[in-house]
Structures are given as structure tokens and as C-alpha cells.
Amino acid sequence: MKAFDEHVDRILRPLRASGTRKAKMREELLGHLATAYREEREGADSDETAVQAALARFGDADRMRDELQASVPALERVLYIRMGCRRPGESDAAYAFRMARWGTAFTLTLAACTAAGCVLSKAMRGQSLAAAFASTHWTTILATIGVGIPIVGALLFPMFFLELRTQKALRRGDFRSAVKSGLVSSAAFAVFAAGTALAVAWCVPSLFREILIAIGMAATWGLFGPWCTIAAGRWHLKHRPWIPLGQDF
Amino acid sequence: MSQIDGNELRGHLETLVLAALSAGEAHGYEILQRLEARGEGVLHLKEGSLYPALYRLEEAGHVRAHWQDDAEGRRGPRRRIYQLTRKGKAELARRREHWRRFVSVVGGIVEASS
């Protein structure tokens, strides 16, 4: 029933929780509303009256959303922060650009933390902090970050774009296109990871090597990303898609 | 008799759910019916608020749930059946004890001042 679908989707869609958890909640809440409706229908004048009575018994959507959000484990709330969601009216390219920006900022932070970690590890091995700082090849690090970070950004943009294409293909039920996008995406990550590995092996100073290894490892993980999307998408295809609710959702 | 609404039940809902489940496994709607039956028409809570309490209890390991096999040929969404775990039974016993103490102390004060 559309009114129930809308009410439940309005409650659940903004939740910071996994898709699996939301799907489970949705089925259960819809089941409850359907039972309440059947009960109300027996004494009501019309379907509409029964629907409104069932919704009134169920409770306010905003309040319920807050309560349900509080029932989601803290780690899951953090992992499913809404940063990765499409904004209303946002184009594919704008979405991919925004996500690439976040990814690049994250990589930059990771690189900075790795460099700081290297300095600290030297200091812990007996050097004074000042000496450890002075003996670090900052020029090389800054130069390589200066080159590497734009490369990461340039890689992430098409990756997010392809990820979106994969998701859209899955939503259409076009599994072949989803696999094609996934293959292109994985191949790009593989080239990037291999390039990083070669750079580490042949021509990089020892300190910066650790930063590159971290980036290379992240890229290797990226190989699996599209296949996780496809696996999750196939699972979601078995369930009813979210219904359109307007700009706020 | 005036009704007891969800706000007054806040903080006690999980205990009520555990107590309702001590009578045997049940799905969400059935738990509500048990609460209403035992509440003699005075309890009045928004039905949706039951589910966050159930999910919290499930997360804490006090109840476990499984989807009902649709052997009855019922149409529509499946139902989740909840049952108390051993940990949940122990938790219910602890909450009952706490409740008795609470009623004894607070009730004593309230009654004494009337």
C-alpha cells in the first residue's frame, strides 16, 4: 500500500545504517502496518479511513526515525554516515567529483599521518624529535605528494563515476553492464596499484616508500570495490527498491 | 482511569517487552497485543515505538529473532518472531528485582506524603 510504503520509507531512508538492516526493518514495519490496517478495515467506512487510523496508531515518522537511529550500533552509524549519498538534483559527474574530493582529502590525511609516523618511529628508535624531523626528506615527500595527490584525485573521479554506472545498471537489472563497469574499474585500480608497486621497487627514497605502499594498498583494496557493489546490488535487486519521496530524501 | 502513554513508559518499555516475551515467542504485533491485554486498556503507546526497543534488545543479546516461515499461506510481508535468550531471561529477572525495589522505595515515599 503506497501510503504505508511512503511512511516507512520516510522513516528509514535517512537512517545511518546498513542496507541489510534497513531492508529488515522495512519488511517488519510494513508487516505491522498491514496487520493494523486489516484490523482497522473491519470497522472503518473506507480504505482511506483505515489507512489513516493504522498510521495514527503507528506514530510520528520523525520521532520513530530518531528512536530507530538510536537502536543502530554506534560503529554502523559512523560507517554509514550520509556523506556517500547522492544529493537531490546532483548530476553523476558532480557526485563523482564531490566523492573524489573527499577521497583525495582522505588520502592526503593518510599520507600526512604516514609521514608523521615515520618521523615518530625514528624518534622512538633513539633520535631526538628535532633530529628525526631534520633528517626526513621533506622536499621529496612534498614533491611526491604534490604529484601523487592529483593522480589519486584523477583516479578517484572516474572510479566513482563508474561505481555510479554500476549501481544504475544493477537497478535496471542489467547485470552485464554492471560487470563491464566493474571490470573497467578494477582494471584501472590494478594499473594504479601495479604502477605504485613498480615505483616503490625501483626509484623511490626509503621514507616515501611507506607512503606509496599505503596508497598502493588502498588501490589494491579498490580492486574489490566494484565486486562488493555488484554483490550488494544483486542482493538489493531481490528486494523492492526505495520509492521516490521528493527532495528531502 | 487515565491512560498511561509512551512518554510515561519511556525507560520501562524494554522491561515490558521482556516480560511480554517471557510468556513465549511472539512477533511484534503479538507483543503489543499482550501488552495491551495485560495493561487492561490503560496502556497507550504508539505501536511503532515497540520496534526500536526490540532492536535494542536484540543488539544487546537479550532477544533473538527469526523470520516466520510462511506456512500459513498468509500474504504480505513476513513477520519476525522474537524470543528471549538465556541472557534475556537473566536480564528480566534483574529488572524485576530492580522494579520491586523501585516501587517499594518510591511507593513508600509517595504514599507516606499523601
Side-chain angles (χ1 to χ4, degrees):
Chain A
M1 194 158 289
K2 192 162 180 266
F4 293 158
D5 289 342
E6 274 188 12
H7 192 70
V8 170
D9 281 15
R10 212 172 277 280
I11 292 168
L12 295 181
R13 183 128 24 130
L15 282 189
R16 298 194 309 275
S18 70
T20 314
R21 187 181 293 275
K22 288 191 201 181
K24 181 185 79 177
M25 287 176 175
R26 179 163 64 165
E27 184 162 6
E28 187 166 29
L29 299 185
L30 283 173
H32 184 104
L33 278 167
T35 311
Y37 166 77
R38 278 197 295 275
E39 201 176 279
E40 291 293 336
R41 188 66 191 91
E42 284 171 16
D45 306 334
S46 65
D47 274 355
E48 183 54 29
T49 318
V51 167
Q52 290 310 320
L55 287 175
R57 277 169 53 176
F58 199 65
D60 174 60
D62 292 337
R63 185 167 173 173
M64 225 187 127
R65 190 184 309 120
D66 292 344
E67 289 182 9
L68 284 171
Q69 185 65 74
S71 75
V72 176
L75 180 63
E76 193 173 318
R77 286 203 292 270
V78 174
L79 286 177
Y80 287 87
I81 193 161
R82 292 197 83 203
M83 191 174 71
C85 296
R86 290 284 292 274
R87 287 174 181 164
E90 191 173 44
S91 70
D92 290 0
Y95 168 79
F97 184 68
R98 182 165 60 87
M99 295 310 294
R101 240 172 29 208
W102 276 108
T104 309
F106 176 74
T107 312
L108 185 61
T109 311
L110 193 72
C113 289
T114 313
C118 290
V119 174
L120 284 175
S121 73
K122 277 184 184 179
M124 285 168 72
R125 285 199 296 266
Q127 284 189 24
S128 72
L129 199 58
F133 193 84
S135 66
T136 301
H137 304 281
W138 289 110
T139 317
T140 315
I141 289 175
L142 292 174
T144 321
I145 287 178
V147 175
I149 291 300
I151 293 174
V152 170
L155 178 77
L156 286 177
F157 175 76
M159 289 308 99
F160 281 111
F161 196 79
L162 282 169
E163 168 85 2
L164 215 52
R165 294 282 296 272
T166 310
Q167 286 177 10
K168 281 185 173 177
L170 282 169
R171 249 178 253 138
R172 290 195 307 272
D174 184 357
F175 191 62
R176 277 175 77 98
S177 298
V179 171
K180 267 188 214 166
S181 299
L183 278 172
V184 174
S185 188
S186 281
F189 269 111
V191 168
F192 187 75
T196 312
L198 286 175
V200 168
W202 284 340
C203 57
V204 179
S206 63
L207 181 63
F208 186 63
R209 193 167 288 180
E210 294 176 41
I211 297 173
L212 268 190
I213 287 171
I215 294 175
M217 280 169 69
T220 310
W221 278 109
L223 286 170
F224 300 106
W227 308 107
C228 293
T229 305
I230 289 169
R234 289 194 76 184
W235 185 88
H236 282 291
L237 275 179
K238 293 181 192 161
H239 296 78
R240 190 176 53 78
W242 295 108
I243 56 171
L245 290 173
Q247 290 229 327
D248 293 339
F249 293 84
Chain B
M1 195 184 296
S2 66
Q3 290 204 318
I4 301 172
D5 69 12
N7 284 328
E8 289 174 86
L9 290 173
R10 195 173 284 271
H12 301 297
L13 187 55
E14 289 178 19
T15 311
L16 293 175
V17 171
L18 287 174
L21 282 172
S22 67
E25 62 174 33
H27 53 76
Y29 201 84
E30 200 178 343
I31 294 170
L32 266 172
Q33 286 176 324
R34 285 183 191 175
L35 290 177
E36 281 175 6
R38 291 184 193 180
E40 297 171 350
V42 180
L43 280 187
H44 179 72
L45 63 141
K46 290 292 181 190
E47 294 179 2
S49 62
L50 172 74
Y51 291 95
L54 278 169
Y55 298 147
R56 283 195 299 272
L57 289 169
E58 191 181 4
E59 210 55 51
H62 296 146
V63 301
R64 63 169 159 261
H66 63 271
W67 290 105
Q68 186 177 41
D69 295 329
D70 211 357
E72 303 158 27
R74 194 178 52 81
R75 288 185 306 163
R78 292 175 300 166
R79 286 167 163 168
R80 283 188 99 216
I81 309 293
Y82 293 89
Q83 63 183 135
L84 280 184
T85 60
R86 187 178 294 182
K87 194 177 168 190
K89 286 174 187 164
E91 178 66 13
L92 177 60
R94 192 189 67 77
R95 288 185 186 220
R96 276 181 171 147
E97 182 53 39
H98 179 80
W99 175 253
R100 280 187 206 110
R101 202 154 48 90
F102 178 82
V103 170
S104 154
V105 173
V106 177
I109 295 169
V110 172
E111 291 300 325
S113 58
S114 64

